[in-house]
Amino acid sequence: MKSKNENIRSAPYQLVPLTKLLNNGLHCVLICDGVGVGKTISAAYAILYLLRRSGKPCGVLCPPALLSKWMFELKSKFGITPLPVRSKDDLTTARDESKNKGRSSNVYIISNSLVIGTHTYEYPAFCLVVFDEVHNYRNSETQMHRGALELSKAAEWRIGLTATPINNSLNDLVSELSLLMPDFAWEDVQATTEDLWRTAREKLTSALVTRFLKEKLGIHFAAHRVTWERVSYPIEYATRVRALVRSIESSQSSFDAITYYRLAASSPAAFYKAMGLRRESEPHDPKLEVLRRALADPSIEHWLVFCEFKETVDYLSRMITERDVFTMTGETPIFERESTLDAFSKAHDSVLIMTSVGSEGLDMQFAQGIINYDLHWNPMKLEQRIGRIDRVGQEKTWIRIVNILVEGSIDERVLSVINKKLAAISGSIFAVDGIVESARRAEQLLYDSTALSEELSESEKLIRVLDQNRSISNKDYEVIKFFKPEYCQPGVMRHTAREGTPWIGSGKSSQLWLDAVREDGKRIRELLDYFA
């Protein structure tokens, strides 16, 4: 079947993962490209190639909310019509179809909720399985990891996709790689990864990992017009917040003190509701004023507003009347999210208010503005939010980003501390400009010193994680220029009859790179066998 869009953007770096997959001798690759760079497209090239080469089905494992995204991407860009697998009956049908020679080259998009309790023999014999958001399986002790491992054993080739391979420690990367190499015990992969991480990190990344970032690629989907809006709540509100939190700290509360302080900075409405206090009327809210001013910009048709708490989403949905309002939180059923996004995209002068449920995996490049109503101190979250619209497919020349910073909040204090340390990580893409904490009296603060010390301790761990992610680098940037861009067209890739990698030039530099991939893959295999 011919793709409806044979002229997708030529991006030769998206052929690098497939090249490594076919040459490293490990039958797997981990794609750790940055948010919005196009990990889905990179995996789709591998699907297209291996379908043609093997004649066996491919599988994609993803969160339920992303099934429709995968089906749309493969259909619209690559002419592949995948089949969704949402139930055990669907899975049984897929396995039976794969035994039928005429139906053996299907692509199945599998909801990851199905992997729990499912065994290898219940899956089709896949030529390739793609694990989208593979960091979701980083805890090797969970049922999700064990279930995904059963699926991995059903495939000949495996690809993992994640923008944040290390979330807490190096063991996150170990678990992701162990999922892609199911023939080896987790402990063997751990010993191999730790050995190479200490002594020859580039060998690990050269063969097994890609890590392309927009900044290093020189890709600018849209210019960023960033504004910082600093607001402060009245001293009376800050004083009451601290008193109320102290009064419940010794009681059986469903939240800890930090959460209450964050709720207070998010919105008075959210804080008072969490405290179980009724308000006669909505108090003056300087954050809401900033939001309304931003939404009044007639040049931006679609805005995304990110909040940390559902209560604030509900509050804003009541208060905003200037535009059509759509909401999405963790309580929004999976089956409603696609229709919500569709309605939002079609509505003129609209705003989608969401919690962090919308910061990962969803594509909304039709939007042009983002408002960080709640500015969490973890810069990876901010990067994920911006990546919802600043990604492959964004046609606007610029996007607007409005960051609302509450003076005296925990987030202001921690962001100020963490940003100074991020500046020391040369070239960090997570450094947040515009954070300069001003001196203020104790009565103006929306937190106490105990809560602050806990958050600063967490920020230290985040710095280590960011530095580890940054150190996942290789020489792949140097070889991109030797890849032939015509192979980025699905029609050309689909009809590639030769085995091997005809899209990479035969010059000395490209061959040296290929030789390194093969040799480093061989070294990894030797270490795995040694520790086994």
Side-chain angles (χ1 to χ4, degrees):
M1 180 181 297
K2 189 170 182 177
S3 172
K4 293 181 179 179
N5 188 357
E6 291 288 1
N7 296 309
I8 66 174
R9 184 179 63 93
S10 293
Y13 68 87
Q14 292 177 318
L15 298 177
V16 172
L18 173 57
T19 310
K20 290 190 177 187
L21 182 70
L22 298 174
N23 286 277
N24 63 18
L26 300 166
H27 280 222
C28 65
V29 68
L30 182 63
I31 303 176
C32 302
D33 300 347
V35 177
V37 173
K39 293 180 289 294
T40 301
I41 301 300
S42 295
Y45 283 122
I47 291 173
L48 191 66
Y49 180 87
L50 290 173
L51 275 178
R52 179 80 173 181
R53 174 170 161 173
S54 71
K56 294 181 181 179
C58 291
V60 176
L61 186 71
C62 67
L66 301 185
L67 259 76
S68 297
K69 169 193 170 181
W70 270 97
M71 294 180 69
F72 175 78
E73 290 289 294
L74 291 176
K75 174 66 175 177
S76 63
K77 294 183 172 66
F78 290 86
I80 297 171
T81 304
L83 301 173
V85 177
R86 297 186 175 95
S87 68
K88 284 295 183 73
D89 287 342
D90 290 343
L91 187 58
T92 300
T93 299
R95 184 190 61 192
D96 293 342
E97 284 180 344
S98 68
K99 297 176 182 178
N100 183 335
K101 189 173 182 180
R103 304 287 297 279
S104 62
S105 58
N106 286 330
V107 177
Y108 298 98
I109 315 298
I110 307 168
S111 169
N112 65 5
S113 60
L114 292 179
V115 300
I116 297 178
T118 302
H119 301 285
T120 301
Y121 63 82
E122 298 178 78
Y123 294 104
F126 291 115
C127 67
L128 168 70
V129 167
V130 177
F131 295 90
D132 195 11
E133 310 291 359
V134 70
H135 54 267
N136 289 335
Y137 317 103
R138 64 183 180 270
N139 187 343
S140 62
E141 300 299 319
T142 63
Q143 289 183 317
M144 285 292 282
H145 180 90
R146 290 192 289 270
L149 196 61
E150 289 291 313
L151 171 58
S152 184
K153 293 175 182 177
E156 181 182 359
W157 309 79
R158 303 162 193 89
I159 294 176
L161 309 181
T162 177
T164 53
I166 301 174
N167 287 263
N168 298 294
S169 71
L170 186 61
N171 278 345
D172 295 340
L173 180 61
V174 171
S175 291
E176 291 153 5
L177 293 178
S178 72
L179 185 61
L180 303 181
M181 296 185 286
D183 293 337
F184 295 92
W186 188 93
E187 292 77 13
D188 301 334
V189 179
Q190 180 189 40
T192 300
T193 302
E194 290 180 348
D195 183 89
L196 290 173
W197 195 262
R198 289 191 307 269
T199 62
R201 193 171 304 179
E202 69 282 355
K203 292 186 179 296
L204 182 71
T205 56
S206 167
L208 266 180
V209 180
T210 67
R211 180 70 167 169
F212 289 115
L213 305 175
K214 285 182 286 189
E215 291 77 10
K216 291 187 177 181
L217 285 169
I219 294 175
H220 301 285
F221 301 120
H224 291 189
R225 297 182 179 178
V226 183
T227 57
W228 286 85
E229 299 284 352
R230 305 179 71 94
V231 302
S232 59
Y233 285 107
I235 291 179
E236 295 77 14
Y237 174 65
T239 301
R240 190 175 189 205
V241 165
R242 293 194 306 275
L244 286 170
V245 174
R246 283 195 295 268
S247 72
I248 56 89
E249 280 185 309
S250 59
S251 65
Q252 293 295 108
S253 171
S254 58
F255 296 146
D256 56 21
I258 291 172
T259 302
Y260 281 113
Y261 287 128
R262 283 227 166 95
L263 281 159
S266 180
S267 67
F271 174 72
Y272 287 125
K273 183 176 180 180
M275 296 296 299
L277 300 175
R278 297 185 62 182
R279 301 286 298 174
E280 295 292 329
S281 59
E282 301 291 356
H284 170 70
D285 190 343
K287 288 180 72 176
L288 182 61
E289 290 183 355
V290 171
L291 177 64
R292 281 179 164 153
R293 286 200 301 270
L295 295 181
D297 185 346
S299 67
I300 297 179
E301 188 173 352
H302 299 96
W303 280 98
L304 305 183
V305 177
F306 283 99
C307 306
E308 285 294 304
F309 301 100
K310 176 185 178 299
E311 292 79 6
T312 299
V313 173
D314 294 340
Y315 161 66
L316 294 180
S317 68
R318 296 195 307 269
M319 303 303 291
I320 296 174
T321 58
E322 300 91 335
R323 290 175 177 251
D324 289 336
V325 176
F326 301 87
T327 64
M328 189 181 299
T329 70
E331 295 184 3
T332 306
I334 295 295
F335 61 85
E336 287 185 8
R337 295 180 187 181
E338 183 180 359
S339 59
T340 297
L341 287 179
D342 184 58
F344 168 54
S345 68
K346 293 177 180 177
H348 297 290
D349 297 324
S350 58
V351 55
L352 174 61
I353 310 171
M354 65 181 70
T355 57
S356 57
V357 69
S359 64
E360 197 173 276
L362 300 179
D363 297 348
M364 290 173 277
Q365 51 267 63
F366 57 85
Q368 194 176 1
I370 285 180
I371 299 173
N372 287 309
Y373 196 81
D374 292 335
L375 191 63
H376 195 278
W377 57 261
N378 187 334
M380 286 192 290
K381 285 193 174 185
L382 304 183
E383 182 72 11
Q384 289 173 345
R385 292 175 180 181
I386 296 170
R388 294 311 98 216
I389 68 174
D390 185 29
R391 60 192 304 110
V392 174
Q394 175 58 262
E395 297 180 353
K396 307 291 194 307
T397 58
W398 57 270
I399 60 174
R400 187 177 175 198
I401 302 165
V402 179
N403 298 317
I404 304 178
L405 184 65
V406 177
E407 296 182 339
S409 65
I410 279 185
D411 289 342
E412 180 199 34
R413 174 61 176 152
V414 178
L415 271 170
S416 174
V417 171
I418 202 172
N419 207 48
K420 293 176 184 176
K421 296 180 179 180
L422 282 172
I425 303 178
S426 177
S428 172
I429 64 169
F430 295 108
V432 182
D433 296 328
I435 298 292
V436 179
E437 186 188 20
S438 56
R440 58 191 80 259
R441 301 193 305 274
E443 60 265 30
Q444 295 175 293
L445 302 179
L446 277 170
Y447 62 86
D448 61 25
S449 58
T450 302
L452 175 62
S453 64
E454 294 178 12
E455 292 295 84
L456 289 177
S457 176
E458 285 296 306
S459 74
E460 291 289 343
K461 183 174 71 174
L462 175 65
I463 290 292
R464 292 193 296 271
V465 168
L466 291 175
D467 201 19
Q468 285 181 316
N469 278 298
R470 174 183 169 273
S471 66
I472 300 176
S473 61
N474 44 50
K475 298 181 179 179
D476 296 341
Y477 293 96
E478 301 171 11
V479 78
I480 297 173
K481 59 187 176 184
F482 301 114
F483 281 67
K484 301 173 183 177
E486 61 266 27
Y487 281 91
C488 292
Q489 298 306 317
V492 177
M493 178 63 75
R494 184 185 299 108
H495 296 297
T496 298
R498 297 167 51 191
E499 292 189 4
T501 52
W503 49 84
I504 186 170
S506 57
K508 181 178 179 180
S509 297
S510 57
Q511 288 307 304
L512 286 173
W513 178 83
L514 270 177
D515 289 343
V517 169
R518 292 164 181 152
E519 287 300 315
D520 293 341
K522 182 179 178 182
R523 174 59 176 160
I524 293 170
R525 169 72 69 171
E526 290 172 348
L527 279 174
L528 288 167
D529 290 335
Y530 172 79
F531 288 116

